[in-house]
Amino acid sequence: MSEKSIDPATLEMIEKAAEDGVRTVFQRVESIRACPIGAEGSCCSICAMGPCRVNAPRNKEETAQERRNRVGVCGATPETIAARNFLRKIAAGTASHGDHGRFMAKFFLAVAQGEAPGYSIKDEQKLLQLALDLDVTIGDRGKEEIAVDVGNLLLNEFGKQEGELLLLKRAPLKRQKLWQEQGVAPRGIDLEVAEAMHRTHMGTDQEYQDLLNSGVRTSLADGWGGSMIATDIQDILFGTPAPVLSQINLGVLKEDEVNIIIHGHEPQLAEMMAIVTQTPELIEYARSKGANGINLAGMCCTANEMLMRHGVPVAGNFLQQELAIVTGAVEAMVVDVQCIMQGLTDTARCYHTKIITTDRRAKIQGATHMEFDEHNAYESAKTIVTTAIDNFVNRGSNVRIPQYKSDMVAGFSYETINYLLGGLFRASYRPLNENIINGRIRGLAGVVGCNNPRVIHDHQLEMVKELIKNDVLVLQTGCMAMASAKAGLMVPEAAAKYAGEGLASVCEAVGIPPVLHMGACIDNTRILMAATSMVKDGGLGDDISDLPVAGAAPEYMSEKALAIGQYFVG
Ligand code: XCC
Ligand code: SF4
């Protein structure tokens, strides 16, 4: 059992699931062996002359002729097939982040035009900065007026047919030039995704180098396009994160309260749920049902969004979603889009938990669908919360909440790090560069991405610990950030305990943990911005590739992580 996870709360719930006769991802992964041909990208199912498998023979040397003959029915080589598969995954990841960004751009316009009551522009400073980056006139215009122009420009980035994505201009000049020379500067976000699908259609692009270049271009449309738009707009609407104290792991669930978990990726509903669950009216209603209050907790990246901006506690990362239900203490799991396992409904059947889908793009067989309407957000969220409260009386006696939770500090946006390092009046990444030049910090590592049951849950910690021990400052997002937080690496005291002398001295001087939580997976764009600032503040070279930085997604499972990985490369 112990090889499944290094997180004690997870292990305890895996055991309870077994006692309760409930199947979870941890059993399913054992009954389905990963297909070795698919794993090496050697299976092509793009046309109906196949599917073709072009994997190399195991335990046997191939002759040159055999190697040449190892192609699909159409003659496609293993290189073409692997590159095509890779590009399709990047396109899917880019489409997912892009659709999130597009939704945010539309929502932003609705807020600016007064059509989404209950929401407003919270960070005017960031709006003005974005307006400057986009050459939108500021003058003495009101923030809503500016926001409409900004929103329209950003929305236009998705359907743009020519030119270059506007936010590429934020990158170091040398990098922009290189992208242009290589022909990988993305034109429009949707265009790159559609073109990638076309290129990978049977009989189109069949040169692996060209396919991989298309992968770079498509992924850059994620990093400097869809994801960056989502991060920027969310900060403007909901506030740019600043350091905030919170707690993480299944132990944040409360035995005597109505537990609602928000799970997924897009924060607009979660933002309203945070407000609704604090209204005296609904707290009173929960009391009338015998509960002592309403406890809102997060899961996956919606959790990161709510944690970063409001300190909402985190119940767990990707592989803990079913296990949260296994506690028997969750009245409702409210989900939006991405990373929501279909297995949830099966787990929920064994307890009283209601799985509530809320997005028109993401329904699940057997779940309750309560579509969220952002034009009528308060009422929508209230209906959902009321449904959860009504479910409290159905809670069974088989409740066990693992008593594990860790303190953490999150909220390290690009801007916050800027201020923390340089101070409010001369905010800059220069002090970081200086500490790299003088050798106290050896470099920066982004350790990001998912969980994957094919490897030990949260085992990446060993790598993070090794990095900070060697004076490498670690930047994290997504489910990997949660793994480190659960292990106590995201509190300032962790510096003295785990970091090397140089890194520890810097962390102590600034008052930060040696491992910084920068947000959800779309917020990997904050890392792009930080790296760009390091270049611009000088002393370490004139391109991102000159910096002592590295990136890894050691437990990745999602196509989004491939898009992210590839734009890091790009
Ligand atoms: Fe999903 Fe974003 Fe991966 Fe976690 S890290 S499993 S993508 S929730 Ni984004
Ligand atoms: Fe096979 Fe070629 Fe069709 Fe792929 S595109 S399934 S390799 S025939």
Side-chain angles (χ1 to χ4, degrees):
M1 190 70 86
S2 63
E3 74 278 10
K4 290 198 163 95
S5 174
I6 59 169
D7 168 31
T10 297
L11 291 173
E12 188 180 329
M13 284 303 103
I14 290 176
E15 224 164 89
K16 182 171 187 289
E19 284 164 24
D20 296 354
V22 176
R23 261 166 73 89
T24 66
V25 61
F26 290 99
Q27 274 86 49
R28 292 190 300 267
V29 73
E30 281 177 4
S31 53
I32 300 181
R33 204 168 57 94
C35 167
I37 302 160
E40 64 181 47
S42 295
C43 174
C44 182
S45 61
I46 276 168
C47 89
M49 294 191 284
C52 303
R53 294 177 298 182
V54 295
N55 53 307
R58 272 156 231 278
N59 326 316
K60 168 172 167 286
E61 275 291 310
E62 252 181 318
T63 64
Q65 190 55 48
E66 282 168 337
R67 176 67 181 79
R68 270 196 300 280
N69 288 346
R70 186 152 57 79
V71 295
V73 173
C74 66
T77 61
E79 293 78 12
T80 294
I81 289 173
R84 245 178 354 206
N85 286 335
F86 187 51
L87 176 52
R88 281 212 163 184
K89 286 175 194 291
I90 290 172
T94 301
S96 304
H97 286 147
D99 211 37
H100 177 161
R102 176 198 348 273
F103 192 97
M104 279 303 148
K106 286 188 170 169
F107 177 56
F108 181 56
L109 275 172
V111 174
Q113 288 160 342
E115 289 158 12
Y119 298 99
S120 60
I121 291 168
K122 286 230 180 84
D123 189 340
E124 197 173 341
Q125 197 55 44
K126 187 146 181 167
L127 169 67
L128 296 182
Q129 183 57 54
L130 182 58
L132 281 176
D133 289 351
L134 297 172
D135 291 326
V136 167
T137 316
I138 295 176
D140 53 4
R141 301 199 301 160
K143 60 181 177 180
E144 280 75 19
E145 215 180 318
I146 297 170
V148 170
D149 285 356
V150 167
N152 278 322
L153 268 177
L154 293 180
L155 195 55
N156 190 44
E157 291 294 271
F158 292 91
K160 210 158 79 176
Q161 301 299 316
E162 267 155 57
E164 259 179 36
L165 289 186
L166 297 171
L167 293 176
L168 293 184
K169 277 201 295 238
R170 285 178 167 176
L173 286 173
K174 195 169 166 194
R175 184 76 357 200
Q176 292 181 44
K177 215 165 145 257
L178 189 68
W179 287 334
Q180 282 157 359
E181 281 164 14
Q182 299 293 320
V184 297
R187 299 151 294 176
I189 300 162
D190 293 349
L191 174 69
E192 299 306 344
V193 172
E195 189 178 295
M197 295 308 284
H198 175 202
R199 279 169 181 264
T200 53
H201 183 276
M202 189 272 149
T204 308
D205 201 357
Q206 292 160 103
E207 188 181 77
Y208 75 89
Q209 298 93 329
D210 202 43
L211 285 159
L212 293 177
N213 274 337
S214 177
V216 175
R217 191 168 53 240
T218 309
S219 70
L220 289 174
D222 178 0
W224 302 85
S227 280
M228 196 171 273
I229 289 172
T231 297
D232 272 52
I233 291 180
Q234 288 173 186
D235 282 355
I236 292 169
L237 287 179
F238 308 131
T240 301
V244 60
L245 186 68
S246 189
Q247 289 189 314
I248 181 166
N249 216 342
L250 291 170
V252 305
L253 297 175
K254 294 191 179 149
E255 186 123 22
D256 58 344
E257 294 191 12
V258 173
N259 289 304
I260 304 177
I261 291 184
I262 39 172
H263 173 17
H265 284 79
E266 293 183 359
Q268 62 280 11
L269 164 63
E271 284 281 334
M272 199 44 85
M273 300 255 302
I275 294 170
V276 169
T277 49
Q278 281 173 17
T279 56
E281 183 197 347
L282 283 171
I283 295 173
E284 208 32 65
Y285 187 59
R287 293 224 169 92
S288 77
K289 299 283 173 182
N292 275 336
I294 310 170
N295 181 35
L296 187 66
M299 195 125 240
C300 283
C301 283
T302 305
N304 283 327
E305 302 282 2
M306 300 310 288
L307 164 74
M308 292 284 284
R309 299 196 180 87
H310 308 289
V312 169
V314 179
N317 52 8
F318 178 68
L319 282 182
Q320 292 178 287
Q321 53 186 285
E322 292 162 309
L323 301 179
I325 296 174
V326 172
T327 63
V330 176
E331 275 55 56
M333 187 172 273
V334 182
V335 305
D336 52 84
V337 291
Q338 302 166 16
C339 302
I340 299 143
M341 290 195 203
Q342 188 167 2
L344 283 176
T345 49
D346 200 44
T347 309
R349 256 206 305 240
C350 304
Y351 304 91
H352 72 305
T353 309
K354 268 198 177 3
I355 307 292
I356 302 176
T357 51
T358 61
D359 191 287
R360 64 171 180 81
R361 296 163 295 182
K363 296 185 181 175
I364 302 176
Q365 198 88 54
T368 309
H369 189 68
M370 300 176 79
E371 205 155 298
F372 174 62
D373 174 10
E374 66 277 6
H375 301 285
N376 191 13
Y378 186 86
E379 285 306 316
S380 270
K382 191 175 157 189
T383 315
I384 293 169
V385 173
T386 308
T387 307
I389 296 173
D390 286 336
N391 199 25
F392 184 72
V393 296
N394 299 322
R395 201 190 270 188
S397 55
N398 184 10
V399 171
R400 188 160 101 224
I401 299 171
Q403 293 306 304
Y404 296 100
K405 56 180 171 184
S406 308
D407 288 334
M408 69 184 303
V409 181
F412 294 97
S413 56
Y414 153 78
E415 290 84 349
T416 288
I417 298 175
N418 206 7
Y419 293 139
L420 284 174
L421 288 169
L424 198 52
F425 298 107
R426 47 182 184 88
S428 134
Y429 276 73
R430 182 74 206 174
L432 179 59
N433 290 10
E434 277 160 11
N435 279 306
I436 292 174
I437 294 163
N438 69 27
R440 269 194 279 269
I441 295 178
R442 284 172 63 180
L444 259 59
V447 183
V448 306
C450 323
N451 292 143
N452 186 327
R454 297 270 172 219
V455 296
I456 301 167
H457 174 229
D458 290 352
H459 81 301
Q460 58 98 23
L461 276 177
E462 291 315 310
M463 182 161 110
V464 173
K465 281 187 184 160
E466 202 58 31
L467 284 164
I468 57 178
K469 197 168 93 191
N470 283 284
D471 296 313
V472 176
L473 179 66
V474 175
L475 309 177
Q476 294 203 280
T477 57
C479 289
M480 283 299 91
M482 296 181 183
S484 296
K486 283 188 277 179
L489 297 178
M490 289 189 169
V491 287
E493 305 82 71
K497 204 161 158 198
Y498 299 103
E501 236 173 80
L503 176 61
S505 70
V506 176
C507 289
E508 276 155 23
V510 187
I512 53 173
V515 181
L516 301 181
H517 194 326
M518 296 187 77
C521 294
I522 54 153
D523 298 329
N524 283 314
T525 58
R526 301 190 199 278
I527 302 182
L528 298 181
M529 293 298 290
T532 302
S533 282
M534 287 171 70
V535 170
K536 291 185 177 162
D537 284 329
L540 292 172
D542 46 15
D543 198 353
I544 296 177
S545 54
D546 298 330
L547 302 173
V549 296
E555 297 178 37
Y556 101 91
M557 65 87 201
S558 135
E559 290 164 322
K560 292 176 287 171
L562 288 178
I564 294 166
Q566 193 61 21
Y567 75 62
F568 266 41
V569 172

